[in-house]
Amino acid sequence: MDYNMKTKNMEKNIIPIDSTKKELTVHGKIGFPIDVHVNFPSNFGLGLVNWHWHNEMQFCIVNSGSVSIQVNSNVYILKEGQGVFINSGCLHMVKSIKSNSDSYICINFHSKLISLFQNSEIEQKYVLPYLSSYKNSSIPIYGKTDEENAILMDFSSICNLYSKANYGHELDIVSCLLQVWKKLIKLFDSIVTDKTQPNTDPLRIKAILQYINDNFEEKILLKDIANAVNLSREECCRYFKRVTKYTILDYITDCRINKSIELMQFSNLSMSQIAMTVGFSGISYFSSCFKNRLKCTPSEYKKRIS
C-alpha cells in the first residue's frame, strides 16, 4: 500500500506522554482536528509504540508487513491492508511482527468532526453513546466482508484526500468520516458481548501505569501498587498480566529502559548517572537488562542513535 503519507514528525520517535500515559501530541489543527501519518514501530526506543491513549479516535491501517496492535486486553495481528478502529481514551500499543520495514498509517480524528456541533442530535444519538465505552474500545477490520471492505475504502479515501490537500479537501474528509462512522457504529451494534470474558476496568489499569510512571525512579514495591488500586498483590499481578500481557516487573523494567533512552538523547549524563536516575540499582544490572531487551549495550545503543 502506498498513500504517499508523511512519517510522523516526532523528535527521535518518542511519543510525548504525561504520567497517565495520555499522548500530548497535537493531532491536526484546533479548527480541523485530524492528522494522518505513517509510523514504523522499529524506529521507537524498544522497537514498539508503547502504551498510550488520547482523546482522539484512531484508525490504523497496516501499510507494509504485519503488526500487532493491542487495545486494552484485545490483541490484533494485522497484515497489509487490514486495520483496527481504536476508540477515544483507550490504551493501546503497537509492535512489529516481521521486520524493521513494518509500518502502519494512523488516522487520528476528534469526535467534534462528526458531531457537527455540541449538543446536536447527531452528537447525542450517534456519537456520545459510542465514545469511551469499554465494549466499543476497538474493532478489527480485516476486509473479510463487504462492510469491512467499504470501511477500508473510506479510510483509504481519507488518506488520499489528506495527502493531496486539494481545495475543499476538508469538506470531502468530513463527508468520508461521517460515512465511515455510520458503518462503524452499525458494526458496534452488531457485537454481542461475551459474558464469559473477565471484566477489565480501563481506569484501574491506567492507575497502575500512572503509579509506575510516577515512581519508576524509586524502589517500587508490589504492595504499594496493589494498595493504590485496592487489590491484593496476587490479584494485582494477575489483573495486570491479563490486560497488558506483561508482568509488572517486566513493565517497570521497560519503563526504566525507555526513560534511559530519552536521557541518552537529551542529556549529557554518564551511563552510571542514567542508571541511577531511572531507578536501576547499579550500572551492571542496568546494562544486563538493557542488553537483554535491545540486544546491545547502552553504550552501543547511544553510538547508534548519535
Side-chain angles (χ1 to χ4, degrees):
M1 297 174 69
D2 183 10
Y3 294 105
N4 191 31
M5 300 310 306
K6 64 180 180 180
T7 300
K8 188 157 190 178
N9 183 23
M10 290 183 297
E11 189 170 14
K12 301 294 185 181
N13 279 328
I14 292 175
I15 293 180
I17 57 174
D18 65 15
S19 63
T20 71
K21 294 294 180 179
K22 179 182 180 181
E23 183 177 353
L24 302 177
T25 307
V26 177
H27 294 119
K29 306 172 184 177
I30 293 177
F32 193 58
I34 184 171
D35 176 55
V36 185
H37 61 270
V38 177
N39 271 345
F40 289 82
S42 61
N43 287 350
F44 290 76
L46 291 171
L48 54 86
V49 182
N50 218 334
W51 289 105
H52 66 286
W53 61 276
H54 33 71
N55 289 327
E56 295 84 3
M57 294 178 281
Q58 184 178 80
F59 193 82
C60 300
I61 308 173
V62 179
N63 188 49
S64 60
S66 300
V67 300
S68 168
I69 300 181
Q70 182 172 348
V71 187
N72 293 327
S73 59
N74 299 311
V75 179
Y76 308 108
I77 307 300
L78 303 173
K79 300 176 182 178
E80 183 176 325
Q82 297 178 335
V84 62
F85 171 79
I86 304 171
N87 212 335
S88 168
C90 294
L91 280 163
H92 53 283
M93 67 177 295
V94 188
K95 295 189 290 188
S96 293
I97 295 295
K98 291 185 176 180
S99 68
N100 291 342
S101 62
D102 293 341
S103 67
Y104 64 101
I105 296 172
C106 286
I107 304 174
N108 298 295
F109 63 97
H110 200 281
S111 61
K112 290 185 289 188
L113 278 177
I114 55 174
S115 298
L116 298 192
F117 57 88
Q118 190 173 10
N119 297 322
S120 70
E121 186 168 345
I122 288 176
E123 181 186 62
Q124 298 297 318
K125 188 175 180 180
Y126 300 109
V127 179
L128 293 183
Y130 297 92
L131 284 184
S132 304
S133 164
Y134 189 80
K135 175 195 171 187
N136 301 331
S137 62
S138 60
I139 187 167
I141 309 295
Y142 295 113
K144 295 180 179 179
T145 65
D146 291 342
E147 292 81 1
E148 290 185 355
N149 280 320
I151 290 171
L152 290 169
M153 288 182 64
D154 285 337
F155 278 114
S156 175
S157 297
I158 291 170
C159 290
N160 287 322
L161 290 166
Y162 188 92
S163 176
K164 294 177 181 177
N166 293 331
Y167 176 77
H169 71 281
E170 298 93 343
L171 295 171
D172 292 331
I173 286 174
V174 172
S175 176
C176 279
L177 280 175
L178 288 169
Q179 292 179 50
V180 77
W181 184 249
K182 181 180 178 182
K183 298 182 180 85
L184 280 171
I185 61 177
K186 281 186 175 180
L187 286 182
F188 280 133
D189 288 340
S190 69
I191 295 173
V192 178
T193 303
D194 185 355
K195 298 188 185 319
T196 65
Q197 290 296 316
N199 184 38
T200 51
D201 182 357
L203 294 179
R204 178 170 279 169
I205 201 66
K206 286 180 182 178
I208 295 175
L209 296 177
Q210 182 174 1
Y211 185 92
I212 294 171
N213 196 77
D214 288 343
N215 297 279
F216 71 90
E217 300 166 337
E218 311 295 334
K219 183 176 181 180
I220 298 179
L221 299 177
L222 179 57
K223 68 179 182 66
D224 294 330
I225 299 175
N227 288 339
V229 292
N230 298 314
L231 291 174
S232 68
R233 288 185 296 179
E234 293 76 14
E235 180 56 27
C236 186
C237 288
R238 286 194 294 268
Y239 172 77
F240 191 84
K241 181 71 178 291
R242 185 174 71 228
V243 176
T244 69
K245 318 305 178 190
Y246 277 69
T247 66
I248 288 179
L249 178 59
D250 284 344
Y251 182 80
I252 292 172
T253 300
D254 275 7
C255 180
R256 288 171 171 161
I257 290 175
N258 254 333
K259 296 296 181 180
S260 75
I261 289 172
E262 291 183 31
L263 290 176
M264 287 180 203
Q265 297 176 55
F266 304 116
S267 79
N268 294 317
L269 296 177
S270 68
M271 287 302 170
S272 295
Q273 290 172 317
I274 289 176
M276 299 303 291
T277 298
V278 300
F280 285 101
S281 57
I283 183 65
S284 177
Y285 183 53
F286 169 51
S287 297
S288 174
C289 291
F290 196 100
K291 189 169 185 178
N292 181 59
R293 189 65 180 81
L294 291 168
K295 312 305 179 188
C296 65
T297 66
S299 297
E300 289 169 342
Y301 188 88
K302 186 171 183 178
K303 288 181 181 177
R304 184 193 307 167
I305 62 177
S306 296

